[in-house]
Amino acid sequence: MGKKNKPSLSLSHFVGVVVFSLCFVPKSVLGVKQELRFGKNGEFKILQVADMHFAEGKTTPCLDVFPKQMPSCSDINTTSFVERMIQAEKPDFIVFTGDNIFGFDAIDAAKSLNAAFRPAIASNIPWAAVLGNHDQESTLSREGVMKHVVGLKNTLSQVNPAEAHIIDGFGNYNLEIGGVRGSCFENKSALNLYFLDSGDYSTVPAIRGYGWIKPSQQLWFQRTSAKLQRAYMRQPEKQKGPAPGLVYFHIPLPEFASFDSSNFTGVRQEGISSASVNSGFFTTMVEAGDVKAVFTGHDHLNDFCGELTGIQLCYAGGFGYHAYGKAGWSRRARVVVASLEKTGKGSWGDVKSIKTWKRLDDVNLTAIDRQVLWSKSLAGVHRKKQVGDHE
């Protein structure tokens, strides 16, 4: 038999090897098992549900609806709205931002929680939740509520981060959204979600009112943000800046009071019910440099977004029918979509924009107040302007 010739390697073979090695990132870089990622269309859609105030189902009456609606209105209307939103928007992820149940009217907290989250569980869509100020007012403590939530199907909620040995509250955690499978961002976190427990009520006798995000939580946030940024801005596919971050909690920060009708999108129909003290978390987020938007609930008649120091501060608007509202002003939900940039090679790159809108619980699930919360191109222009202002 003659001597076999060694197979020749074409230039395309070498290019393929180079591209693979540049794009390949060990999964350990992300630090956690990748649970969420952008779809093949380069988008990741989040449905925010705020203040369901679920209690006992059919026997729980609605609040602040027209008298003619009262005989047939109950928690079931809230459930139906969740189901309709899931069907209409087909989100990749659902976030419940507290007061998921109204504890005072829930006889069995576990049973009410199961019913409140049932549409999300049945949809097989990943979901997460944080606590409000009413979730613990039934038969479970705040810790007990969060532990029960974590045990439900399809949830990515966590009681608290394993690496944080001392941290206030329950339900402080982060989730990483990987890039499109097969792209160079497949094993990089292209979008980061942070969840925090904003507390219920002050435990300091000299300070009245609602709770706030404590120093231990802020320290965890700072360390987590820094860790994610380091991973994102190193090889391969080294990025010049951090991946965008979105933050979810229940009680709005004092900075939500910084706006009037001239500089926000949406409506403000009641006061900003934040803590009576400012714990500095807004400044902490600004200093971190990756947060693009914050999403809260708590004040049901507010649904605006306003930008302050590069961060959009957004309400979702009241969702639940056993929560206070305003007759004739539809219950509503907020949708957020992050979109990736298309690369020259026909693949998907990093996040280019984050957009939002709300849907009303009317016959048509009317979409309102579409807006761009953040875009890479506008952020670049803003940075150039800042440099120019200081020259």
Side-chain angles (χ1 to χ4, degrees), residues 302-357:
N302 296 338
D303 73 351
F304 66 80
C305 281
E307 191 237 319
L308 183 66
T309 323
I311 297 178
Q312 294 277 354
L313 301 178
C314 297
Y315 280 107
F319 190 101
Y321 280 86
H322 187 54
Y324 76 84
K326 183 178 177 182
W329 193 70
S330 299
R331 265 61 174 189
R332 58 203 58 211
R334 182 172 291 281
V335 179
V336 172
V337 174
S339 301
L340 300 178
E341 192 159 47
K342 195 81 170 178
T343 68
K345 301 174 184 177
S347 185
W348 295 104
D350 59 345
V351 175
K352 71 172 182 179
S353 68
I354 300 171
K355 300 176 182 178
T356 189
W357 59 88

Side-chain angles (χ1 to χ4, degrees), residues 143-212:
E143 182 178 12
V145 169
M146 206 63 216
K147 284 183 175 179
H148 183 80
V149 169
V150 167
L152 296 176
K153 185 182 177 185
N154 297 327
T155 191
L156 299 180
S157 307
Q158 299 171 34
V159 175
N160 269 328
E163 69 275 12
H165 300 296
I166 300 175
I167 189 167
D168 286 279
F170 303 96
N172 304 287
Y173 55 101
N174 71 289
L175 295 172
E176 303 170 26
I177 317 302
V180 176
R181 196 176 299 279
S183 74
C184 290
F185 283 79
E186 177 177 359
N187 292 315
K188 272 187 176 291
S189 182
L191 179 70
N192 294 307
L193 308 182
Y194 302 96
F195 305 86
L196 294 104
D197 180 2
S198 53
D200 51 3
Y201 302 96
S202 172
T203 56
V204 181
I207 301 174
R208 294 184 177 182
Y210 293 109
W212 56 88

